[in-house]
Amino acid sequence: MIKSLFILNTGGDVVLEKHWQGRTGRNIISQFWNEFTKENRTKDLPPIVRIRRQTIVHMRKYNLLYLIVADQDTSPLMFIEFLNRVIEVFSNFFSTEPTETSVKENLPKAFELLGEMMDNVFPVTTETSMLKDMIGATMKSTPNTIENSKKFVTLSSDQVGGLPWRRKNINHSPNEIFFDIIESINATIERSGKCLNSEIISKINCESKLSGMPTLTMVFNNSSILEDVSFHQCINLDTWERRKILDFVPPDGAFELLSYRSNRMQTQIPLYTSGRFSWSKKKRKGKFEVILQLRNSLVKSIDNVSVLIPLSRGCSSPAVKTSNGAAFFNDQTFELKWEIKKMPKNKEVTLKGSIKLPNKGEIPREKPVAIITFSIEGLCMSGLKVTNLNISNLKKKIFKGVKFISKSGNFTLKF
Amino acid sequence: MSSSRVIKSFRQLLNESKEQSRRRLVIEQIISAMSLGVNLSPLFADMVKAAQTTDLVQKKMIYLYICKYAEENKELLILSTGTFQRDCQSQDPLVRGLSLRSMSSLMNKELVEYMAREIKKGLMDRSNYVRRIAVLATVKLFRVSPELVLDTEIEKKLYSMIAEVDPYVSINSVVALNEILASKGGISITQKIIIHLLKRFHEFTHWGQSIVLGLVANYAPQSEQECLQILNLLDNYLKSGNTSVILSVSKVFINLINDLPNLRNQIYDRIKNPLITLVSCSGDEMAYPVLKHIYLIATQLPNLFANEASRFFIKGSDPTYLQEIKIDILCEIVNKQNFKQIIFALASYVINSSLNEHISSYCIRAIGKIASQLSSYFDMVIDYLMEFIELDIPHIVEASMIILKDVIRLFPEQSLEIVLPELKRLSEIIHTEEAKVSLIWILGEYGEKIDEGPYILEKFVETFSEESSEKIKLELLTSVLKMFFKRPPESKKMLGVILHEATENSNEPDVIDRGLFYYRLISTDINKTKSIVLSEKENFTRFTENDPLELFEILMDEFNTFSVVYKKPYEQFKRIIHKNEEEEEEEDDDSSTDSSSFSEEELLDQIQQNVNGLDINQQNQSQSQNQQNSQEEQEIELEPKFNLEPSEFQNKWMNSSHNLNFDFELDEELDKESFEEILKENNFQVMASGLIQSTIKIFCYGKDISSNQIGLFQLLITGVNVKLNAKGTNPQFLKLFAEYIATVLTE
């Protein structure tokens, strides 16, 4: 059960504290802070720790540290999920990332939201669109209008037949709905260009501005791709099980419709990658080469490809030659970054270079890796296609669109 | 801090501002200052007065304020009841709900009568929103006066409200009953309730679903058919977008296995993929508890994840806590098919310089653990270990040394031949205590097989007097004695030296004892000593320090709770509130209002700025200068080299004006030495210590640098229970001292 939430800034000062049951003193927070900052553990302290026989679950986001103080008898996932929701709801209501400044500026609103999101010690309403129903009214009102009008606020949640994720009486003009299918590929590539392992982690983001209670059905060409999938609550799981069709009444606004993981790739990895790296012990030098080539017939070109190589500390600025694009060396982080604004079709692009190690010290045992980033619009690596998107229950002109984006997740070349 | 100026200016602003938009701004500033930690309690009466506004935004903020300071203003609270009651009659459901929620949060005994009346009305309210709040308010009422809820019409009403159409009201009723009836084991879970809740499962929010699943997990289906129905119904929800729901479904499934043992493998197969997807699709924070659960399942069904080994390979970007748990999982799922793949991965982490030293040692330990599980692949393991040892990287060599000792204990015949020739070189490069102990143990046990064996030991004996580690000294004593019986001519001299050093020139009582014991043993009957020291050892295959299997069975019962994350049954870490602790908590609260990090000056400036042109009475600028210093006084810092003569200590102990007793509990048992070490590390000076039966008694003292206060302490430690008796001249400081000791020892 969640007792309290604290939000701290980067210096460990409390920006906001909310108590749902009793009051938790700040001593436990300063003790946590000592633990958190000890021996550079800020990244390595587990998200769930016990302090003073209580549990503290923490999460970092946008330079703020969120802490939940809890009793230990329930699901740890619930707390982390709740923190995710708090951050999401804050972002939606503040119309900006929740940072120290934006939280302080929106303090009364933040308290209002937290009051509705959890009552007693369990989360209640965490859907943005439902919260807008309860808090939206007070947000917009200026005090004078409230004083003058004798009209009562009616809560749509009071009307029977609403859905937990969608209130009634929503009105939009124009009516539109857009889907972004974003596939990220995680892959490890060998020096020869062979792919050692790969998987696609994807999600479908949706932005819905539809009136009333519309019902959508979405049909895919190859639904078997969606094997490891997690769905938004709005999706009717029975229809999916029986007919492999997505059937749903969408929440209002932006939300994640579903996410899926897939090991199979319909297309080749759009970017062929290979390279070499060798250390010369005698000369205390390292020589390297990276080769990239676009190899997907569906893709005409890719913009903004970048290759990042973290090099050994203390090495000299590398001498590099590129066939396309430009390479920069950061002498603070010892990272070499090669950026290609436009990747040509049917042509290899190369980076060649060498670095010199300082005269003393060991020759590194390990070769570095190259981390590659790219993003391609209009391509879908898993082969998923939407063959039909139907909207019923809404007799109005509707703009709808589906967009595909393929991009690199954790994409690494091992020399 | 004294915030009288801030209070004054706020009060003035409240009185002056007539226009609603201005009032709203002022109240907003009050809330901001409150969350900075300024104590605004004295404004209570003014705020209660301000609560009679029709502006909902102001009202919400004012209620927030009232809830925060109600405790300190008990006598004024009665003033607010009028406002609360009026608001409970409001036409606006938001106002009714707000008023009900705030009133029930006050936890005030004086108000229970009003509270109970309004809650009962709220349960009948025409608005769903208000009924939701009223249902949860019953729990808050229960916490203040259980007799007003238990076995009353409220309890009955709540049961009937589970059937309400509004899904929130329904779920909240379940939650409320579960908590109110906690002492009776929670809400009574009947088949009727379960069927009702499962039928409308899709209506509930994720949180509601998690709560229902919690009930289902404790429900015993009446037939196999019912089990299957539940299984089929919930199967879809393994695709939920909410991780908490997925884990809760998994728990229900695992519990159902007891009723459907023949479906065991299929059921685990169902939950496998969703769990793996969670790990790869969610952030590090989420992945951590999920991996902990996968680890637990892997201890029960190692083969379930065997084909997925690559999913648990670590990434350089993983935080250490994820790397550790992934390595733990790899150790569990290893089998004949994936063995090479896993060992290869672990070995590559060991030498990967981008991972930290801790992880590389952790991998070496994992490799050793795997060797003990799969003895047929032992050759490959020892090859890797020998490779590590040749690396000349101290932490890798040292960690490998420790594992080699275990490998030799398990497979002496196969490994000795390879390891023994390396010992001389190793003896020159290792430095850590544990690695040295391992090496010395090997030498004592098998060192006679190599020519230089006794001479390597001799090198250690030469530095015996300078050795600070008691463990090394003890191990060395034993090993030299063993060597003496195997290679007497070369070892006779060093045995003499070490026995002399141990008995005559050592400080550690255990070292002296063992030295004397050996000496007397040899003097009594040298042949008998030999047969005792070199007795045959029994072969063994499993280290007892590995986790007991029963532990995992208990943890499976506590699936989807913190027990799994901590790897401890709930019984071992649940929070029992002692009397002392409650006091401690109250002290926490007091200090919380003082621990803010700002100056009054800045705050006043800010308020002025924000309230946008409103005049603030500027006065006495100078007063506010020394505000910031006062908050530092709370911290205790001890003088490192402070020293008291025993007679002084005794004198002070007998004549101290104040005495404080303080009991607390430790997280784990420690021995006397560890206590002394911890105390010394924190600059406490130990005057005397001893062991009376199983109780450790320690006298110590310390001097706080900033205040020059001296505290004297007697600690009586039995198991995890500590009785602290503190003496000194200032009662406030004694309290701080006592808390400080408790913090130091419990960390």
Side-chain angles (χ1 to χ4, degrees):
Chain A
M1 298 193 297
I2 299 173
K3 291 170 70 180
S4 305
L5 169 77
F6 288 86
I7 302 180
L8 311 186
N9 66 11
T10 42
D13 302 323
V14 176
V15 177
L16 177 154
E17 59 180 290
K18 167 82 189 168
H19 307 282
W20 285 278
Q21 191 199 336
R23 208 194 296 171
T24 312
R26 286 191 185 183
N27 282 7
I28 188 170
I29 298 306
S30 41
Q31 217 169 323
F32 171 85
W33 184 255
N34 290 341
E35 198 65 29
F36 183 68
T37 45
K38 199 161 72 186
E39 299 160 28
N40 242 347
R41 285 179 72 179
T42 45
K43 188 176 159 259
D44 286 328
L45 187 70
I48 300 168
V49 289
R50 277 178 72 211
I51 287 176
R52 284 191 167 194
R53 278 155 286 162
Q54 302 206 53
T55 289
I56 295 197
V57 178
H58 80 273
M59 186 179 274
R60 268 203 308 183
K61 199 86 194 220
Y62 310 120
N63 282 329
L64 284 179
L65 187 67
Y66 296 77
L67 303 178
I68 277 182
V69 183
D71 279 344
Q72 292 101 332
D73 55 352
T74 27
S75 158
L77 274 306
M78 186 184 270
F79 300 144
I80 293 172
E81 192 76 64
F82 181 72
L83 281 180
N84 275 329
R85 290 289 92 74
V86 168
I87 294 166
E88 182 191 303
V89 165
F90 277 6
S91 311
N92 291 339
F93 274 83
F94 302 170
S95 334
T96 166
E97 290 167 355
T99 58
E100 183 174 1
T101 329
S102 71
V103 171
K104 278 186 173 162
E105 276 170 4
N106 290 290
L107 213 50
K109 204 191 283 178
F111 278 119
E112 250 187 298
L113 286 167
L114 292 172
E116 295 290 350
M117 288 177 78
M118 182 141 77
D119 196 354
N120 197 15
V121 284
F122 273 108
V124 187
T125 314
T126 52
E127 283 277 338
T128 300
S129 96
M130 300 307 283
L131 287 166
K132 280 203 171 133
D133 187 32
M134 300 167 198
I135 289 165
T138 61
M139 269 173 15
K140 278 180 225 134
S141 74
T142 66
N144 297 335
T145 58
I146 285 220
E147 248 174 328
N148 297 337
S149 72
K150 284 265 177 276
K151 220 180 83 192
F152 315 130
V153 185
T154 46
L155 278 173
S156 63
S157 57
D158 277 349
Q159 295 151 355
V160 177
L163 293 164
W165 59 89
R166 188 180 178 95
R167 66 206 150 93
K168 278 193 150 187
N169 304 334
I170 296 172
N171 233 320
H172 284 289
S173 179
N175 281 277
E176 51 188 32
I177 185 159
F178 297 108
F179 297 89
D180 284 349
I181 303 185
I182 303 164
E183 300 200 324
S184 312
I185 178 164
N186 294 339
T188 314
I189 312 288
E190 258 185 355
R191 51 194 287 182
S192 66
K194 194 181 141 207
C195 178
L196 281 178
N197 55 58
S198 68
E199 68 174 348
I200 302 174
I201 308 281
S202 317
K203 57 183 178 185
I204 303 186
N205 285 342
C206 179
E207 170 96 44
S208 161
K209 287 177 186 164
L210 300 175
S211 313
M213 280 282 172
T215 308
L216 278 72
T217 51
M218 197 183 228
V219 186
F220 299 102
N221 63 330
N222 186 359
S223 57
S224 66
I225 292 164
L226 302 181
E227 232 165 57
D228 277 338
V229 62
S230 56
F231 289 126
H232 189 275
Q233 206 190 352
C234 66
I235 291 170
N236 184 332
L237 296 167
D238 282 338
T239 324
W240 174 257
E241 242 0 78
R242 276 186 284 115
R243 295 164 50 205
K244 298 292 167 199
I245 288 173
L246 289 189
D247 168 22
F248 59 101
V249 179
D252 195 40
F255 66 101
E256 188 182 301
L257 182 67
L258 58 84
S259 61
Y260 58 96
R261 181 176 67 95
S262 162
N263 291 324
R264 289 168 298 174
M265 296 247 293
Q266 194 64 30
T267 63
Q268 276 182 310
I269 295 177
L271 201 62
Y272 168 83
T273 319
S274 69
R276 281 200 317 255
F277 195 105
S278 56
W279 289 113
S280 150
K281 270 200 180 168
K282 258 192 203 156
K283 294 184 190 155
R284 304 189 64 80
K285 267 175 100 172
K287 268 179 77 178
F288 56 90
E289 181 181 26
V290 179
I291 302 167
L292 302 177
Q293 187 177 0
L294 189 58
R295 66 159 175 203
N296 193 303
S297 53
L298 298 168
V299 187
K300 289 201 189 72
S301 71
I302 317 180
D303 294 341
N304 297 325
V305 177
S306 83
V307 177
L308 184 80
I309 310 179
L311 293 163
S312 320
R313 297 223 141 248
C315 71
S316 66
S317 172
V320 283
K321 235 176 96 181
T322 61
S323 69
N324 297 60
F328 310 93
F329 180 68
N330 182 335
D331 56 8
Q332 298 298 308
T333 57
F334 295 95
E335 285 172 333
L336 178 69
K337 192 170 187 182
W338 176 30
E339 285 174 339
I340 306 144
K341 284 250 149 46
K342 200 160 186 77
M343 187 86 181
K345 207 174 179 181
N346 301 330
K347 184 176 169 275
E348 278 186 3
V349 295
T350 54
L351 165 81
K352 282 185 190 167
S354 63
I355 51 164
K356 194 151 173 28
L357 287 169
N359 289 331
K360 277 182 191 158
E362 277 180 58
I363 303 277
R365 280 168 286 132
E366 283 274 302
K367 291 172 181 174
V369 292
I371 301 152
I372 294 139
T373 11
F374 59 86
S375 171
I376 308 165
E377 279 203 24
L379 176 75
C380 173
M381 293 178 290
S382 67
L384 190 74
K385 268 194 193 107
V386 179
T387 50
N388 192 1
L389 175 61
N390 195 14
I391 303 172
S392 52
N393 231 352
L394 182 60
K395 303 232 166 350
K396 283 197 175 133
K397 199 180 162 200
I398 302 161
F399 298 97
K400 48 189 181 182
V402 179
K403 188 167 83 185
F404 286 94
I405 297 164
S406 285
K407 58 178 200 171
S408 54
N410 215 319
F411 198 93
T412 323
L413 169 68
K414 276 196 161 172
F415 289 112
Chain B
M1 68 180 271
S2 124
S3 35
S4 57
R5 286 185 59 218
V6 178
I7 306 250
K8 212 167 172 183
S9 65
F10 272 135
R11 184 169 290 147
Q12 199 171 349
L13 283 168
L14 273 174
N15 288 333
E16 280 171 4
S17 317
K18 296 284 175 254
E19 201 190 325
Q20 290 299 328
S21 58
R22 264 165 85 103
R23 291 184 72 86
R24 207 194 253 192
L25 269 174
V26 173
I27 292 170
E28 221 167 87
Q29 289 311 303
I30 292 177
I31 298 297
S32 300
M34 184 179 103
S35 31
L36 275 175
V38 193
N39 186 357
L40 296 179
S41 171
L43 282 174
F44 200 80
D46 308 75
M47 289 296 269
V48 168
K49 213 172 106 199
Q52 298 171 1
T53 174
T54 46
D55 178 16
L56 187 55
V57 177
Q58 286 178 48
K59 206 179 262 297
K60 280 192 178 178
M61 292 191 283
I62 293 168
Y63 278 159
L64 188 71
Y65 170 94
I66 292 180
C67 291
K68 165 125 185 175
Y69 294 115
E71 194 75 11
E72 290 134 65
N73 290 283
K74 278 184 182 140
E75 60 298 341
L76 291 174
L77 202 56
I78 204 81
L79 291 176
S80 62
T81 48
T83 317
F84 278 125
Q85 279 177 307
R86 205 170 315 121
D87 284 347
C88 281
Q89 316 288 326
S90 165
Q91 298 283 8
D92 184 342
L94 284 171
V95 175
R96 294 203 299 277
L98 173 69
S99 163
L100 200 54
R101 180 183 287 156
S102 310
M103 184 164 47
S104 57
S105 305
L106 293 175
M107 305 284 273
N108 187 297
K109 275 214 182 274
E110 315 282 313
L111 294 184
V112 282
E113 295 297 321
Y114 295 106
M115 238 167 99
R117 206 179 315 144
E118 295 303 335
I119 288 173
K120 276 181 206 160
K121 265 197 267 169
L123 291 175
M124 313 281 195
D125 198 284
R126 62 184 181 281
S127 158
N128 297 342
Y129 179 76
V130 178
R131 285 204 304 285
R132 290 171 195 170
I133 292 170
V135 168
L136 291 178
T138 60
V139 182
K140 299 173 194 163
L141 178 65
F142 168 78
R143 289 203 194 106
V144 191
S145 328
E147 71 282 356
L148 286 178
V149 182
L150 259 185
D151 301 318
T152 64
E153 50 185 312
I154 293 187
E155 189 186 318
K156 263 184 243 151
K157 174 79 183 151
L158 287 175
Y159 268 111
S160 72
M161 287 174 91
I162 296 177
E164 275 219 23
V165 180
D166 183 69
Y168 292 91
V169 173
S170 175
I171 284 294
N172 287 0
S173 309
V174 171
V175 169
L177 281 168
N178 224 7
E179 212 174 319
I180 289 166
L181 302 172
S183 59
K184 300 179 181 173
I187 182 174
S188 65
I189 311 166
T190 60
Q191 193 183 30
K192 203 174 133 201
I193 291 180
I194 294 290
I195 290 176
H196 174 82
L197 292 173
L198 285 178
K199 242 187 205 161
R200 51 191 298 204
F201 196 71
H202 63 277
E203 293 171 22
F204 301 132
T205 64
H206 292 310
W207 314 111
Q209 290 178 345
S210 299
I211 287 158
V212 172
L213 289 166
L215 293 190
V216 179
N218 290 325
Y219 170 67
Q222 320 210 319
S223 65
E224 197 178 307
Q225 198 196 352
E226 197 183 352
C227 285
L228 290 171
Q229 272 170 355
I230 295 177
L231 213 58
N232 287 331
L233 189 108
L234 295 180
D235 192 47
N236 280 336
Y237 290 90
L238 285 170
K239 295 192 169 72
S240 169
N242 183 302
T243 50
S244 167
V245 172
I246 296 178
L247 260 271
S248 306
V249 173
S250 306
K251 184 181 170 80
V252 171
F253 278 24
I254 288 170
N255 287 0
L256 286 176
I257 288 175
N258 295 329
D259 294 313
L260 304 165
N262 44 344
L263 288 181
R264 180 183 154 102
N265 289 346
Q266 280 109 301
I267 290 178
Y268 273 114
D269 228 37
R270 291 300 299 167
I271 59 182
K272 178 179 94 176
N273 274 336
L275 291 180
I276 293 178
T277 306
L278 280 184
V279 174
S280 38
C281 294
S282 40
D284 293 341
E285 290 90 357
M286 195 77 90
Y288 177 67
V290 176
L291 283 167
K292 287 273 184 183
H293 280 87
I294 291 181
Y295 169 75
L296 176 63
I297 296 176
T299 62
Q300 304 298 299
L301 277 124
N303 284 329
L304 185 65
F305 294 101
N307 292 332
E308 311 286 342
S310 63
R311 307 236 157 253
F312 307 110
F313 286 171
I314 65 184
K315 291 184 231 139
S317 56
D318 284 340
T320 315
Y321 59 83
L322 284 190
Q323 293 175 344
E324 278 182 15
I325 181 69
K326 284 181 174 178
I327 295 167
D328 289 343
I329 293 173
L330 289 176
C331 281
E332 288 301 324
I333 63 173
V334 69
N335 66 11
K336 285 182 178 153
Q337 281 74 43
N338 61 23
F339 174 81
K340 276 192 182 158
Q341 191 195 7
I342 289 180
I343 287 281
F344 180 78
L346 289 173
S348 72
Y349 305 149
V350 172
I351 55 166
N352 187 334
S353 50
S354 66
L355 301 173
N356 64 34
E357 291 189 5
H358 168 72
I359 287 298
S360 88
S361 312
Y362 203 84
C363 288
I364 295 172
R365 233 173 302 156
I367 291 174
K369 199 174 165 207
I370 291 176
S372 72
Q373 284 165 4
L374 289 172
S375 48
S376 43
Y377 291 92
F378 154 84
D379 288 350
M380 212 170 139
V381 169
I382 196 130
D383 282 353
Y384 274 120
L385 288 174
M386 297 318 285
E387 244 175 63
F388 297 152
I389 276 180
E390 275 157 28
L391 279 174
D392 277 344
I393 301 165
H395 75 270
I396 295 184
V397 175
E398 280 156 2
S400 309
M401 185 72 244
I402 297 160
I403 299 305
L404 274 177
K405 176 202 64 185
D406 292 339
V407 169
I408 290 176
R409 286 166 72 195
L410 286 166
F411 315 104
E413 285 135 38
Q414 300 95 313
S415 51
L416 278 171
E417 199 182 321
I418 314 171
V419 178
L420 288 178
E422 297 293 325
L423 292 183
K424 184 163 180 354
R425 192 182 68 86
L426 287 170
S427 70
E428 284 154 15
I429 48 179
I430 57 173
H431 293 289
T432 59
E433 181 185 64
E434 214 188 329
K436 275 189 178 176
V437 168
S438 303
L439 180 86
I440 294 169
W441 180 85
I442 299 176
L443 282 168
E445 204 65 15
Y446 302 104
E448 78 282 0
K449 296 189 199 295
I450 43 172
D451 292 346
E452 64 270 34
Y455 305 106
I456 307 174
L457 273 181
E458 201 166 15
K459 276 264 185 301
F460 285 107
V461 174
E462 277 167 18
T463 56
F464 187 83
S465 54
E466 298 143 34
E467 184 57 65
S468 59
S469 155
E470 190 174 331
K471 273 191 188 164
I472 293 182
K473 283 183 165 179
L474 291 173
E475 194 64 55
L476 199 54
L477 263 169
T478 311
S479 288
V480 169
L481 187 64
K482 287 180 193 162
M483 185 63 90
F484 167 72
F485 285 116
K486 296 180 206 167
R487 302 253 297 256
E490 293 138 299
S491 313
K492 201 173 158 188
K493 191 170 148 237
M494 78 175 155
L495 181 67
V497 171
I498 198 169
L499 285 178
H500 174 78
E501 285 291 333
T503 51
E504 302 289 326
N505 296 332
S506 293
N507 290 323
E508 302 89 342
D510 284 355
V511 175
I512 301 171
D513 277 358
R514 193 178 292 187
L516 282 173
F517 175 68
Y518 286 165
Y519 177 74
R520 289 181 194 133
L521 211 57
I522 300 169
S523 344
T524 313
D525 186 336
I526 196 152
N527 287 325
K528 260 228 170 80
T529 310
K530 182 175 179 180
S531 68
I532 293 170
V533 171
L534 299 183
S535 60
E536 282 281 313
K537 290 196 173 46
E538 274 179 45
N539 280 336
F540 64 103
T541 48
R542 192 185 149 83
F543 290 114
T544 45
E545 59 260 40
N546 290 353
D547 295 304
L549 299 168
E550 307 83 61
L551 170 68
F552 294 117
E553 279 168 25
I554 299 173
L555 290 181
M556 280 310 276
D557 287 338
E558 296 177 15
F559 197 85
N560 197 19
T561 67
F562 284 101
S563 315
V564 181
V565 177
Y566 298 142
K567 212 169 149 187
K568 271 184 189 166
Y570 182 55
E571 277 301 312
Q572 280 182 24
F573 64 83
K574 74 175 174 195
R575 194 157 173 260
I576 305 156
I577 301 203
H578 299 280
K579 219 170 163 226
N580 283 331
E581 199 176 333
E582 271 181 72
E583 281 163 21
E584 200 183 318
E585 285 201 346
E586 271 167 33
E587 279 159 34
D588 279 3
D589 288 350
D590 293 341
S591 64
S592 76
T593 44
D594 286 346
S595 63
S596 47
S597 52
F598 58 90
S599 72
E600 190 178 11
E601 193 66 18
E602 274 174 44
L603 184 69
L604 281 167
D605 276 355
Q606 209 190 335
I607 296 165
Q608 196 185 7
Q609 262 178 25
N610 291 336
V611 186
N612 177 8
L614 299 175
D615 273 327
I616 293 174
N617 215 356
Q618 302 264 356
Q619 50 166 328
N620 304 345
Q621 294 266 337
S622 56
Q623 267 187 6
S624 55
Q625 290 309 322
N626 49 6
Q627 295 302 334
Q628 231 169 348
N629 309 338
S630 56
Q631 66 205 336
E632 304 293 336
E633 285 172 14
Q634 299 277 337
E635 293 288 315
I636 293 248
E637 201 192 335
L638 295 183
E639 191 178 307
K641 294 235 165 74
F642 177 66
N643 192 25
L644 278 181
E645 287 301 315
S647 56
E648 280 178 79
F649 182 89
Q650 203 171 1
N651 196 9
K652 281 186 193 295
W653 185 258
M654 305 299 283
N655 300 318
S656 282
S657 54
H658 286 88
N659 190 350
L660 177 92
N661 286 309
F662 185 68
D663 295 355
F664 57 96
E665 217 173 88
L666 302 170
D667 290 340
E668 53 180 339
E669 283 191 39
L670 294 171
D671 58 4
K672 195 177 101 216
E673 285 69 32
S674 324
F675 278 116
E676 290 183 24
E677 210 169 279
I678 297 170
L679 289 169
K680 278 178 194 156
E681 267 171 25
N682 290 285
N683 295 327
F684 283 101
Q685 312 296 325
V686 175
M687 177 54 67
S689 66
L691 199 64
I692 307 155
Q693 282 159 350
S694 57
T695 302
I696 304 168
K697 189 172 183 178
I698 300 175
F699 282 99
C700 61
Y701 58 92
K703 181 179 169 191
D704 182 48
I705 296 180
S706 55
S707 64
N708 276 333
Q709 287 286 341
I710 297 173
L712 312 173
F713 313 94
Q714 181 196 45
L715 289 157
L716 289 173
I717 307 144
T718 319
V720 292
N721 296 310
V722 182
K723 282 187 187 307
L724 173 69
N725 184 0
K727 295 194 181 195
T729 47
N730 180 329
Q732 237 104 43
F733 260 89
L734 276 186
K735 231 176 192 175
L736 284 175
F737 262 130
E739 278 197 354
Y740 182 64
I741 285 207
T743 329
V744 163
L745 290 179
T746 40
E747 256 172 28

